Amino acid sequence: MIDKKKYFMGKALLQAQAALRNREVPIGAVVVDKSGTIIARAYNKMEAKRCQTAHAEVIAIEKACKKIDNWRLNGCWIYVTLEPCLMCIGLIQLSRLEGIVFGARSNLYGSGLSEGAKRPPYAQHLKIEGGIEAEESVALLQRFFKTARKREEG
């Protein structure tokens, strides 16, 4: 039997790979409803949209809300390849998602959801699990930044 967290994170990783192909920071997200159906998929599009709000989580949440015709995503989960930033964790909370599963931790821009750390007050009601398929998430990010540095040097 396939672990559902790994399955959905695999779908988020496919989105991150699409971001990489499009020269975007490779972060992908999927929103899953309470019945276990993916209702939205997205990847970072900050370069394409020339806007910092074009994070994978934001785009996925917008699509999910449109799909169910409601801003309340009660019972839904978001799977994202990198620990959400403060902007995204705020949106996740305001959208009433039940929980977050993320891949790699982000020491630089993460929202402090790392296991072992005290849960921030703004995320008390969220169910959170990190580290799912973290190695693959990190590998995609390293590949992107290595290529970006080569472009800058060359």
Side-chain angles (χ1 to χ4, degrees), residues 63-88:
K63 288 179 175 182
C65 291
K66 188 173 184 176
K67 174 88 174 178
I68 67 167
D69 196 27
N70 196 330
W71 64 267
R72 293 174 189 89
L73 297 174
N74 296 323
C76 295
W77 282 72
I78 190 163
Y79 291 75
V80 61
T81 59
L82 184 67
E83 178 183 359
C85 70
L86 286 171
M87 174 183 69
C88 291

Side-chain angles (χ1 to χ4, degrees), residues 2-17:
I2 288 182
D3 178 334
K4 77 173 188 170
K5 291 175 191 161
K6 287 186 177 188
Y7 173 80
F8 291 125
M9 188 59 71
K11 299 302 183 183
L13 283 162
L14 289 174
Q15 293 298 303
Q17 291 165 1

Side-chain angles (χ1 to χ4, degrees), residues 36-149:
T37 301
I38 295 174
I39 59 172
R41 304 167 196 263
Y43 59 86
N44 269 9
K45 292 186 178 179
M46 294 184 322
E47 296 300 327
K49 293 189 175 206
R50 304 269 191 259
C51 184
Q52 188 57 247
T53 62
H55 287 198
E57 299 95 322
V58 173
I59 297 167
I61 288 170
E62 287 174 347
K63 288 179 175 182
C65 291
K66 188 173 184 176
K67 174 88 174 178
I68 67 167
D69 196 27
N70 196 330
W71 64 267
R72 293 174 189 89
L73 297 174
N74 296 323
C76 295
W77 282 72
I78 190 163
Y79 291 75
V80 61
T81 59
L82 184 67
E83 178 183 359
C85 70
L86 286 171
M87 174 183 69
C88 291
I89 196 70
L91 177 62
I92 289 166
Q93 182 172 345
L94 290 169
S95 300
R96 307 217 175 128
L97 283 136
E98 184 172 333
I100 305 163
V101 176
F102 67 89
R105 286 164 178 54
S106 176
N107 295 331
L108 193 55
Y109 296 112
S111 54
L113 302 177
S114 300
E115 290 177 36
K118 185 179 176 194
R119 174 90 46 103
Y122 54 80
Q124 291 298 320
H125 82 285
L126 290 170
K127 296 175 184 168
I128 301 166
E129 185 169 350
I132 305 299
E133 303 293 358
E135 298 82 14
E136 191 170 344
S137 297
V138 168
L140 284 170
L141 289 163
Q142 288 173 336
R143 186 170 150 199
F144 172 81
F145 287 110
K146 183 178 180 180
T147 302
R149 279 191 294 277

